[in-house]
Amino acid sequence: MRRPPFASLLLAVLALPACVSSPPLRPSTPTLSAVADALFESVEHEGTGVGVLVVDAATGTPLYARRENARSLPASTMKVVSTSAALSAFGPDFRFHTPVWLEGTQVGNLFLGDLVVEASGDPSLGSWRFPETALACERLADALLARGIRQWHGALQVSHANPGLYDLYGPGWAWDDAASAYSAAPTAFVFRENVVDLTLTRPEGQDCASPLRRPLEVRYTPPIDASSTVVYTDPGAQRAGVGCVRERGTGRTRCVWRAPGGQCPRQASLRVSVDEPQALFTACLEEALRARGIWRVPEAPGQATPPALLRREPLLDFVSPSLAELVKVTNKESLNLYAERLALRFARERTGNESYAALREAMEKELARRGIPPRLLRSVDGSGLSRYNLATARGMVGVLSTSLQEPSASALVDSLPIAGVDGTLANSAFPPELRGLIRAKTGTLSGQKAYVGLAERPHDAEHPRLVFALLLSNLDEQPAYTAGQVFERFAEAMVKLPPR
């Protein structure tokens, strides 16, 4: 179906019936209100739910509203709520500290005892996204080497990592998302974003159409146990790729490798989540130790260093990037794990507990401080994966508007994706002259799409900056406009047209 461009919307607005007058008047200049009404009426006619609010960023004056109190799922725009709360509580310069201790005794070049890591909730430990976090295993191995340790008899232990009420996952999360990298468990101890690289390789000379004569090679990086991963092949699929789910009650991960007719790749890879980041860290560290010639003898079950030999000494302190940097990747790339960890750390700061029940309590008080009642916004998790979250356009505009009054405002604004430039809006079809004028956090769940952000109007002295929220629900698969096109046309009108 052809979709009319923005100019067609302007023509449609100009063709709307006008009041009778004499003498006839020339058609008035299109306004944001008129164009937005025509746009949203067209998608509401197809059954799409629309909730919109636009206000002046400086004064809070409403400039356009449509069902602004209608509730829907905020999806990943909930990250604006959690990151703004964290910035307000800790400030943009806050950093997580994850200390590592030697607990045992050193005899010559032999260390008898454990490495103890104190879980801090840092979502970036071991992450490939930052130079200071990517080489965590190498840094720890170098610290042992610097102490003259060439042999280690013991284990890696993690303290202060007790799971909360919901154990690994948040309330309202979909169980079949659990194996996906975007749904990695927000455990109190996080390593490498709680994901591994899974690589599948076909036996040499094996085509896709024939039954497998030898099993596929399943390899994880870092190298963890692959015996609980079961892979099926689907040579008759319509689209190529690998998808995995976590089998409930078995602990296994089940993957399907799809290879359409005429395509038979020998290798495929993807990232999958893990439930035991401690085992992931151990595997990574052992690789780094071997590279440095350090020999490790794992501690046998029931075996422990005699108490008389136990000494506790600091070895290393992993320091995260600043909160401003963590918030930036959280919102630009829509990282669920980071949003959950920041939200749970905020809950611990405000209530003394780190659980989803504490998060809901802390967030309700934070929103009340900002003048936002629960009927306008209900926060159940930090990322928006929960189907129990509820939001209105008025509630989301309230969060962003009040955040602009905080000392950390610039850190939050800098974290929002820029339409046509970066993050989840990098591929938006905006004309070049509008690039950099729209910043918005996006949110996507099945049948839902949301946008919360800022529109800059450099040629309007009266309303130079707008705060907006657009929540779309009950989306059809083949509407007159896709959700992205609705947003693009609405955003263009916000930048170019007078409000009324």
Side-chain angles (χ1 to χ4, degrees), residues 273-479:
S273 67
V274 296
D275 291 344
E276 298 181 354
Q278 180 175 337
L280 184 59
F281 194 12
T282 299
C284 175
L285 177 59
E286 287 183 341
E287 276 195 316
L289 293 175
R290 284 194 296 270
R292 288 154 178 78
I294 301 176
W295 177 44
R296 176 180 173 241
V297 179
E299 188 176 76
Q303 184 182 28
T305 304
L309 297 179
L310 284 178
R311 293 174 53 192
R312 188 177 174 89
E313 296 182 57
L315 176 64
L316 188 64
D317 183 21
F318 291 114
V319 182
S320 77
S322 69
L323 182 57
E325 294 176 85
L326 298 180
V327 165
K328 191 170 187 175
V329 297
T330 299
N331 287 331
K332 291 279 189 187
E333 302 181 43
S334 205
L335 302 180
N336 296 319
L337 175 68
Y338 283 61
E340 295 297 340
R341 287 310 320 161
L342 296 181
L344 289 167
R345 181 64 181 84
F346 169 76
R348 175 152 61 94
E349 178 71 12
R350 292 297 171 85
T351 70
N353 296 309
E354 190 170 290
S355 68
Y356 282 101
L359 171 59
R360 184 166 178 176
E361 175 190 342
M363 203 62 76
E364 187 170 316
K365 291 180 179 178
E366 172 67 11
L367 294 173
R369 180 182 74 85
R370 296 169 181 243
I372 304 169
R375 63 183 175 81
L376 295 181
L377 183 57
R378 183 178 74 194
S379 177
V380 174
D381 71 357
S383 67
L385 279 176
S386 176
R387 276 67 174 177
Y388 300 157
N389 293 311
L390 282 177
T392 63
R394 182 175 294 278
M396 298 305 295
V397 163
V399 170
L400 189 49
S401 294
T402 53
S403 296
L404 294 178
Q405 311 307 314
E406 300 270 341
S408 56
S410 61
L412 184 64
V413 171
D414 288 346
S415 76
L416 299 176
I418 304 173
V421 177
D422 64 12
T424 55
L425 286 178
N427 296 322
S428 298
F430 277 81
E433 67 271 17
L434 295 185
R435 289 182 181 175
L437 299 182
I438 295 288
R439 291 177 177 266
K441 181 71 196 78
T442 62
T444 306
L445 284 174
S446 299
Q448 313 284 324
K449 194 75 179 182
Y451 304 86
V452 176
L454 303 168
E456 306 291 348
R457 298 164 56 86
H459 305 298
D460 184 351
E462 185 179 5
H463 303 295
R465 172 183 270 186
L466 310 181
V467 178
F468 68 87
L470 168 61
L471 308 181
L472 303 172
S473 58
N474 307 319
L475 292 168
D476 195 338
E477 292 183 356
Q478 293 181 329

